[in-house]
Amino acid sequence: MTEFALDTQTALFIIVGFALVWIAFGVWLGRKNKSHEDFALAGRNVGFAFAAATAMATWVTSNTTLVAPQLTYQLGVWGMVGYSFAALGLLLFAPMAKRIKQLLPQGYTSGDFVRLRYGRFAWAVFLVISVVYAFGWLVSLGMAGGILLEALSGLDYYIGMTIILAMCVGYTLFGGLRAVIATDFIQALIIIVGVAVVAYWLIDNVGLTSIHTELSEAHPQLLDLLFPAAVMFLFNNIFFGLGEIFHSNVWWSRALSFRKDVAYKAYLTGGLLWLPIPVVTGFIALAAPQLGIFPASADMIGPAVAASVLGKTGAILVFIVVFSALASSLDSLLAASSDLVTQDIYHKLIKKHASDQQLMRFNRYCLLGIGVMTWLLCLPRIATLGALLNFAGAFVASTIWPIVIGLYWRRLQGTFAGIAMAAGTIAGLIAYFWIGFYVAALVSCAVSGLICAIGIVFNKRQFSWHELQENGQ
Amino acid sequence: MIISETAFYLLVTGALILTVLAPVVLIGLFLKDYFSKSIW
């Protein structure tokens, strides 16, 4: 027996097997993609079951399965409760999704909305934020794949990371959003069942009383409800989650792809289904001290506990669960980012009269290019997953107010929206480096909100919703 | 202020029960969409 929970050959067999099955599934689903709208938005006709599952599964990322346990291990009970508050993003996005479908029935991306609502300056700032966030998240997911495989099986980081990326690019390239959503449904089921099995085993074999007693005696700060950094983290995480969902094309493209009467209830259901999962994954980490598990890297605490208590079966289970969680987010982000580049940059700036087939072809090349760039950025392991994730919080939280106000009120104009996003991001980054990761999103959102408020007070012009309809829409 | 054992128990078991219900909800929705031919 090696020092790893899973032998390298088994891990390689699972990952290659999964890759082949998913890519074949993507090819099969891709048969229905006749137009760019089919490829990018699954024909704008996704039903309730797939819509709710994809909302939930996409939000269950490596962050939920790796970072939620890590933060619980570091911040205690508030780590897992705070993480679960990120469900607010999905819940609050539900009415927004309905509004998006009303305002932009033929829209493609979140960039479309920002460009038409606020003009080119705010659009440029928004695209910079979107690109930084998308690559931050993509790299965090790619790295998580490599780290996970290496930690569980000893498989070389570069090989594991490469296979996961290649698989997600492969099936998204062939199947488009249809493949992303269909695989999300299956991945959602795998994730939930796997997480529940590990948590149940811990409760049944180690016991909640025993874990509580051990933590009370040896690590009381992990059960402390007044842990200042953890309380701050809770609020920061709420704003981070709101910023991620409100601005990202991952969620906008889904809203636009869902059937008209489905968007609202799908996000609401997805959010409610997601809410308890970080508490369950976080709890797994709280059992670590009781079991005498102290991994070298905090972001491997969840898999380390599961692999330890369930042996080889547990290692395989965790491996498949985290692999599914990674894939369900990676594919979504690849598809949404390539849509954004295709629609906002290629179609609106470079080739305004591109045909439908040209758009579909460019979208596929773009997806491949983003996959290659992500792979290159994953080669140096630049940061821990938590650090990378929270760094992006400074960027995305600045978009919350401009997006919400832009969707519902007519008073805020482009210049102030652009300045709000830029200044919010800069302030968030300063807070990140001077104070700590747990305040970056908070500060970014507060500064952006203040500038938006000033913009509303000084603005006299009312935006006309008809301006959101482009020629031909 | 340390979270009590009862609150800790309720938090974790409540979350686990809700998590277990999720696949039931998703499969139920899928079957409903499948039989009404409204998956896509």
Side-chain angles (χ1 to χ4, degrees):
Chain A
M1 187 73 185
T2 64
E3 60 179 301
F4 301 105
L6 199 65
D7 64 85
T8 310
Q9 277 191 328
T10 308
L12 205 54
F13 178 76
I14 294 171
I15 192 172
V16 171
F18 257 90
L20 292 176
V21 169
W22 286 143
I23 291 172
F25 194 40
V27 172
W28 183 71
L29 287 161
R31 295 167 305 139
K32 289 187 176 179
N33 291 335
K34 306 294 181 206
S35 65
H36 184 233
E37 191 172 77
D38 283 339
F39 182 80
L41 296 173
R44 297 186 195 270
N45 206 28
V46 178
F48 187 24
F50 276 4
T54 193
M56 192 222 90
T58 304
W59 209 214
V60 181
T61 62
S62 60
N63 308 324
T64 316
T65 49
L66 297 178
V67 182
Q70 174 192 344
L71 289 168
T72 308
Y73 188 59
Q74 292 168 331
L75 300 174
V77 172
W78 276 128
M80 60 192 197
V81 174
Y83 210 98
S84 75
F85 269 64
L88 271 178
L90 287 176
L91 299 174
L92 293 177
F93 193 69
M96 290 168 64
K98 187 178 174 185
R99 178 81 173 156
I100 289 164
K101 287 287 281 186
Q102 286 169 346
L103 292 178
L104 294 164
Q106 298 303 314
Y108 271 87
T109 66
S110 52
D112 273 343
F113 171 75
V114 174
R115 176 175 51 81
L116 294 167
R117 175 66 181 82
Y118 290 128
R120 293 214 164 194
F121 167 61
W123 181 46
V125 177
F126 180 80
L127 284 182
V128 170
I129 290 171
S130 294
V131 168
V132 169
Y133 169 75
F135 273 106
W137 197 12
L138 277 168
V139 172
S140 128
L141 291 168
M143 277 171 45
I147 292 169
L148 165 85
L149 289 174
E150 193 174 60
L152 284 176
S153 66
L155 185 68
D156 185 68
Y157 165 81
Y158 301 101
I159 296 175
M161 179 268 291
T162 304
I163 295 176
I164 285 183
L165 272 175
M167 177 192 79
C168 291
V169 169
Y171 71 74
T172 310
L173 199 62
F174 291 113
L177 191 62
R178 216 182 286 274
V180 171
I181 289 175
T183 52
D184 274 359
F185 182 83
I186 301 166
Q187 286 155 355
L189 296 178
I190 293 172
I191 294 162
I192 299 167
V193 171
V195 163
V197 166
V198 175
Y200 178 77
W201 191 97
L202 282 171
I203 292 173
D204 197 40
N205 289 276
V206 183
L208 278 167
T209 305
S210 165
I211 292 170
H212 188 272
T213 308
E214 164 71 17
L215 291 172
S216 304
E217 289 169 1
H219 307 276
Q221 78 280 4
L222 295 180
L223 296 176
D224 190 355
L225 295 175
L226 298 175
F227 193 168
V231 176
M232 195 65 87
F233 162 76
L234 182 143
F235 287 104
N236 189 69
N237 204 46
I238 290 172
F239 288 107
F240 183 13
L242 294 182
E244 278 188 281
I245 292 184
F246 286 10
H247 97 282
S248 175
N249 194 46
V250 167
W251 309 100
W252 281 69
S253 64
R254 273 169 176 65
L256 293 163
S257 74
F258 296 165
R259 203 168 291 153
K260 195 182 173 187
D261 58 335
V262 155
Y264 175 79
K265 56 185 184 182
Y267 275 106
L268 202 62
T269 309
L272 291 172
L273 295 180
W274 187 88
L275 183 72
I277 295 175
V279 176
V280 176
T281 56
F283 160 71
I284 293 169
L286 285 180
Q290 169 86 358
L291 297 165
I293 298 168
F294 303 99
S297 173
D299 50 14
M300 284 310 298
I301 187 72
V305 170
S308 163
V309 296
L310 292 180
K312 189 172 178 180
T313 312
I316 292 173
L317 189 68
V318 170
F319 185 83
I320 293 172
V321 166
V322 184
F323 188 74
S324 300
L326 288 165
S328 68
S329 303
L330 252 176
D331 58 6
S332 303
L333 202 54
L334 284 167
S337 303
S338 63
D339 290 350
L340 197 71
V341 174
T342 304
Q343 180 69 8
D344 286 62
I345 297 174
Y346 178 71
H347 193 199
K348 296 300 171 192
L349 292 178
I350 300 170
K351 199 158 187 173
K352 292 186 178 178
H353 302 290
S355 69
D356 194 66
Q357 290 306 308
Q358 281 175 320
L359 288 173
M360 191 149 85
R361 196 163 49 244
F362 181 85
N363 205 331
R364 284 191 158 124
Y365 285 135
C366 187
L367 208 150
L368 196 60
I370 291 173
V372 172
M373 278 183 73
T374 305
W375 180 77
L376 289 171
L377 290 169
C378 284
L379 288 177
R381 293 165 67 163
I382 45 179
T384 69
L385 300 177
L388 197 63
L389 182 73
N390 285 297
F391 182 75
F395 287 81
V396 299
S398 72
T399 63
I400 295 173
W401 291 114
I403 292 288
V404 175
I405 294 170
L407 277 171
Y408 292 97
W409 291 283
R410 299 189 291 168
R411 286 281 291 273
L412 183 64
Q413 296 305 308
T415 310
F416 276 96
I419 293 171
M421 289 189 277
T425 300
I426 292 166
L429 287 174
I430 291 170
Y432 177 91
F433 288 111
W434 280 10
I435 304 170
F437 77 89
Y438 46 85
V439 289
L442 265 176
V443 171
S444 171
C445 179
V447 170
S448 167
L450 184 67
I451 294 170
C452 286
I454 295 169
I456 290 171
V457 169
F458 285 100
N459 180 53
K460 302 293 177 221
R461 181 179 171 263
Q462 297 267 5
F463 179 79
S464 166
W465 297 119
H466 296 295
E467 291 174 49
L468 290 175
Q469 304 306 314
E470 282 188 284
N471 292 338
Q473 291 190 0
Chain B
M1 189 174 77
I2 303 276
I3 186 171
S4 70
E5 193 187 323
T6 311
F8 183 66
Y9 176 86
L10 289 174
L11 177 69
V12 174
T13 50
L16 185 57
I17 290 166
L18 290 174
T19 302
V20 171
L21 282 176
V24 180
V25 172
L26 289 178
I27 291 170
L29 289 175
F30 177 79
L31 291 174
K32 186 170 172 281
D33 277 358
Y34 180 79
F35 288 115
S36 61
K37 293 189 167 71
S38 54
I39 288 178
W40 297 110

